[in-house]
Amino acid sequence: DTGVSQDPRHKITKRGQNVTFRCDPISEHNRLYWYRQTLGQGPEFLTYFQNEAQLEKSRLLSDRFSAERPKGSFSTLEIQRTEQGDSAMYLCASSSHNTSGRARTGELFFGEGSRLTVL
Amino acid sequence: GQNIDQPTEMTATEGAIVQINCTYQTSGFNGLFWYQQHAGEAPTFLSYNVLDGLEEKGRFSSFLSRSKGYSYLLLKELQMKDSASYLCAVRPLSGGYNKLIFGAGTRLAVHP
């Protein structure tokens, strides 16, 4: 079990630059989520995919943010024209719709996150 | 809308018992989760309640009262490694999927 992996773990960029984060979910999970977390706060929901379909986007996700999951496996989150307020930890999580065993809780499995610092 | 409240910080002594409370208001309810998050690490699943009552798992227990919009996480026989943030999260009854809404978390410091 390789878990959810994210890349890069850390990214420092200058204001106005574009950045892209990648998430590889647990292989049998069809649901994938992006969250953002700032210091001292809980994760805030950004967007959700079921397979390759993006089914919900939070109002937090401005037009500068775009997420894709082209083949229903890995996902990318791109931030264009970064601003200092975008500095945060970007967490990816996956879950299964399987209703048997422990998976029936629908718990989210989180990756280690990608920490973005915008200077 | 959704609103989840939990204390910002708590301290406790090694070997003791601590209870972390969480109150919530959501538009529909489909389960409450507790996650543990050590500094700089990913949140990890601790417990899940969807019906009223107590769920026990080793040193950790979680309680839910849906009518009161209230849950608590009980940690027994505290160890230094339990120093972490504890996140209360609610799954709203919408969309048929597993989106979770998180509280700000409670930072627990366990001292000798």
Side-chain angles (χ1 to χ4, degrees):
Chain A
D1 178 9
T2 58
V4 178
S5 62
Q6 294 188 241
D7 182 72
R9 293 290 309 280
H10 302 275
K11 178 71 175 180
I12 300 173
T13 191
K14 293 182 180 179
R15 188 178 54 182
Q17 298 296 303
N18 299 343
V19 296
T20 299
F21 302 117
R22 176 181 169 123
C23 171
D24 287 88
I26 294 172
S27 57
E28 63 267 28
H29 286 181
N30 65 334
R31 297 174 173 177
L32 186 148
Y33 312 77
W34 285 98
Y35 281 80
R36 180 172 67 188
Q37 186 175 28
T38 54
L39 196 62
Q41 299 298 313
E44 296 174 294
F45 173 79
L46 293 179
T47 190
Y48 156 76
F49 290 85
Q50 178 153 315
N51 300 314
E52 66 275 9
Q54 187 174 21
L55 299 185
E56 184 176 346
K57 292 171 62 174
S58 164
R59 287 172 296 175
L60 295 174
L61 217 62
S62 76
D63 291 344
R64 297 184 296 105
F65 288 70
S66 62
E68 295 182 343
R69 195 183 183 197
K71 298 181 179 178
S73 56
F74 74 91
S75 175
T76 58
L77 176 68
E78 180 183 17
I79 309 174
Q80 296 181 325
R81 305 181 302 282
T82 53
E83 302 173 356
Q84 288 184 326
D86 297 332
S87 295
M89 176 75 83
Y90 290 85
L91 292 165
C92 176
S94 67
S95 74
S96 170
H97 73 289
N98 189 331
T99 57
S100 67
R102 184 174 157 185
R104 70 180 182 277
T105 69
E107 72 192 77
L108 301 188
F109 293 81
F110 282 90
E112 297 287 344
S114 293
R115 181 171 295 284
L116 174 65
T117 302
V118 182
L119 302 177
Chain B
Q2 290 95 11
N3 190 44
I4 300 171
D5 289 315
Q6 49 183 133
T8 303
E9 293 183 347
M10 298 183 72
T11 60
T13 304
E14 193 176 15
I17 299 173
V18 70
Q19 177 174 314
I20 302 174
N21 296 324
C22 171
T23 58
Y24 64 89
Q25 294 175 312
T26 59
S27 51
F29 176 83
N30 193 24
L32 187 142
F33 295 74
W34 284 94
Y35 277 77
Q36 180 190 60
Q37 186 176 27
H38 286 98
E41 297 184 9
T44 54
F45 170 78
L46 286 179
S47 69
Y48 167 72
N49 297 71
V50 68
L51 300 176
D52 291 352
L54 188 68
E55 292 283 341
E56 297 185 82
K57 189 187 298 184
R59 295 189 299 115
F60 293 8
S61 304
S62 57
F63 172 83
L64 176 67
S65 169
R66 289 172 297 171
S67 62
K68 296 181 179 178
Y70 168 69
S71 173
Y72 67 72
L73 180 69
L74 193 71
L75 293 77
K76 304 175 185 176
E77 301 170 12
L78 281 172
Q79 302 175 10
M80 298 297 290
K81 68 179 182 179
D82 297 329
S83 294
S85 284
Y86 291 86
L87 301 164
C88 173
V90 174
R91 180 166 60 198
L93 188 66
S94 63
Y97 58 92
N98 297 331
K99 168 180 144 180
L100 298 184
I101 306 299
F102 286 85
T106 299
R107 287 189 300 279
L108 173 66
V110 180
H111 54 84

